Amino acid sequence: MGLSDSEYYKPVMTFTTSMLSAQIAAVFTNPIDVVKVRLQIQGELGARGASHGMLGMFPKIAKEEGLLALQKGLVPSLLRETFYSSIRLSAYEPLRNFIMSDAERARNQAPLLKKFLAGATSGAIGSGIANPADLIKVRMQASTDRAYSSTLQAFRDIYKSEGLKGLYRGTNPTMQRAAILTATQLGTYDHVKHFILGLGWLEEGTLLHFCSGTVAGFAVALTTSPVDTVRTRLMNQPRDAQGKGLKYGGAIDCLLKTVRHEGILGVYKGFTAQWMRVGPHTTISLVAWEYLRHITG
């Protein structure tokens, strides 16, 4: 019996290809992620200071902190994808197929709502597990100095000063964001891909995957920007000796204060950077995912 015939081969390769495709995308989009985080905390709660757009933030970071600062948080980002994206991508199809009816399985076509449900579930599970790496990524990207010399030091410092609970701060909005993101991303991608195939506009291949991923990427940016801003601010806020947030009491409090002080557009701060990040990330990761699945059988 060959390796590819083993009962463990397919789930292991599905997990591995999901992880690698997301890590490839993370390497290319991390600089935009750094800019997005800086834009989301800029002018927080009406704080005064110089205001920069996405194009202005790139040279500002490079000039003041060096070019390598645009890759801050890359290691925890890759670590995050090891758990988050590997789980959400590899679990999506099994969950979707599980909730499909026999008639839907026979047609190999699930309703959009069931695709959203499968994506939301797999995304929430993956992000909950990966939250410590996500928290460290955000803090490293938000820092304008070298608060942490390495990912390992960040884990140690946060655990020492805030305990295990500190590594799971912002878990609720992170899981909510991941549920919305994965439901939108994979549900839209899956639906658009089969819609295009059904119309005969394109055949299965890279161009189809690229077009479907591009549509899904824009949809993701539109639906996740508000909760992503809240998540970033909760993870990055200063805390007192007891670990209580000094700015926000929770996700709802953060949302309401942001809207009150900065208007409704405050929760869409960094939208262009968010789109420029999740759009290419979605397209690159899904195209790579499809390719890796194809060559590994």
Side-chain angles (χ1 to χ4, degrees):
M1 182 177 69
L3 179 63
S4 60
D5 297 322
S6 168
E7 62 179 305
Y8 302 110
Y9 178 79
K10 186 172 182 179
V12 168
M13 290 312 299
T14 299
F15 186 92
T16 303
T17 55
S18 300
M19 176 188 69
L20 289 176
S21 61
Q23 288 180 333
I24 291 169
V27 170
F28 286 101
T29 60
N30 194 70
I32 304 173
D33 201 20
V34 173
V35 169
K36 180 207 71 174
V37 167
R38 299 291 180 89
L39 290 172
Q40 288 174 331
I41 60 175
Q42 179 177 254
E44 192 169 1
L45 299 185
R48 296 185 180 279
S51 180
H52 299 273
M54 189 187 76
L55 294 179
M57 189 62 78
F58 271 106
K60 178 180 183 295
I61 294 172
K63 181 180 179 180
E64 295 179 0
E65 304 168 49
L67 277 174
L68 288 179
L70 290 167
Q71 284 291 11
K72 278 187 175 181
L74 178 60
V75 173
S77 178
L78 296 177
L79 184 60
R80 168 183 178 264
E81 300 293 5
T82 301
F83 299 100
Y84 169 53
S85 287
S86 58
I87 291 172
R88 71 186 185 90
L89 290 176
S90 61
Y92 169 73
E93 287 187 351
L95 285 170
R96 182 200 63 190
N97 295 340
F98 178 75
I99 60 178
M100 287 168 67
S101 66
D102 291 337
E104 290 163 352
R105 289 193 194 96
R107 298 195 310 269
N108 192 29
Q109 189 173 4
L112 184 59
L113 183 60
K114 290 187 177 181
K115 293 175 182 177
F116 282 160
L117 181 60
T121 304
S122 64
I125 294 171
S127 67
I129 294 172
N131 196 81
D134 202 6
L135 176 98
I136 290 170
K137 176 182 79 75
V138 167
R139 291 195 182 182
M140 291 180 80
Q141 290 175 337
S143 175
T144 57
D145 54 24
R146 294 185 177 274
Y148 305 112
S149 61
S150 68
T151 302
L152 183 59
Q153 187 222 341
F155 268 110
R156 287 173 176 168
D157 287 358
I158 294 171
Y159 180 75
K160 184 178 179 180
S161 61
E162 302 175 42
L164 183 62
K165 185 178 179 181
L167 290 167
Y168 282 90
R169 296 198 188 283
T171 299
N172 286 341
T174 297
M175 292 180 69
Q176 291 163 8
R177 172 189 178 273
I180 295 170
L181 185 151
T182 309
T184 305
Q185 183 188 66
L186 297 185
T188 303
Y189 176 80
D190 195 3
H191 209 72
V192 169
K193 186 174 83 168
H194 284 93
F195 177 76
I196 293 173
L197 283 171
L199 291 176
W201 289 353
L202 293 171
E203 296 181 352
E204 185 71 43
T206 303
L207 182 58
L208 172 66
H209 304 154
F210 179 85
C211 293
S212 304
T214 300
V215 175
F218 179 74
V220 167
L222 209 58
T223 57
T224 62
S225 278
V227 71
D228 192 57
T229 299
V230 169
R231 176 190 72 114
T232 296
R233 292 186 173 192
L234 284 176
M235 285 182 164
N236 190 58
Q237 71 169 326
R239 297 181 178 275
D240 62 19
Q242 286 71 46
K244 184 179 179 181
L246 298 178
K247 290 184 178 181
Y248 314 109
I252 300 299
D253 183 47
C254 179
L255 178 66
L256 294 176
K257 282 182 177 177
T258 299
V259 173
R260 187 183 310 128
H261 289 275
E262 304 168 52
I264 190 65
L265 292 181
V267 295
Y268 274 95
K269 276 191 171 178
F271 173 77
T272 303
Q274 168 78 336
W275 180 22
M276 292 299 292
R277 191 256 172 182
V278 299
H281 189 285
T282 294
T283 304
I284 294 170
S285 62
L286 293 177
V287 169
W289 183 45
E290 294 275 19
Y291 175 75
L292 291 171
R293 290 202 303 172
H294 173 72
I295 63 174
T296 56

